[in-house]
């Protein structure tokens, strides 16, 4: 699994960060950072939930 963000679409709502803070972070400049682009298997379910929950559909997963 590899997590990607479309920076042109992302509004840094931080929903993903709330659901998987180990993987996603929004900085003080409202920029989303993917801390672990290839998360370990134990985080896959939470990452999938975060991607599905993105209000702007700015996140994607490459399997």
């Amino acid at each position: 699994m590899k997590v990607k963000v479309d920076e042109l679409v992302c509004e840094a709502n931080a929903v993903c960060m709330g659901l998987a803070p180990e993987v996603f972070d929004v900085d003080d400049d409202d920029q989303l950072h993917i801390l672990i682009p290839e998360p370990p298997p134990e985080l896959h379910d939470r990452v999938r939930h975060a991607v599905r929950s993105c209000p702007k559909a700015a996140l994607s997963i490459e399997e």
Side-chain angles (χ1 to χ4, degrees):
M1 166 186 281
K2 185 170 184 172
V3 184
K4 296 183 177 185
V5 61
D6 183 337
E7 295 177 10
L8 297 175
V9 177
C10 179
E11 290 184 344
N13 292 304
V15 172
C16 57
M17 187 174 82
L19 295 170
E22 307 89 344
V23 178
F24 304 99
D25 182 57
V26 176
D27 66 21
D28 293 337
D29 295 323
D30 285 336
Q31 292 292 312
L32 175 67
H33 300 278
I34 299 176
L35 303 174
I36 308 173
E38 297 184 30
E42 61 269 15
L43 294 177
H44 285 191
D45 287 343
R46 290 176 59 201
V47 170
R48 283 188 183 95
H49 180 59
V51 169
R52 286 191 309 267
S53 299
C54 179
K56 298 303 287 184
L59 298 170
S60 61
I61 295 173
E62 190 176 284
E63 297 285 348

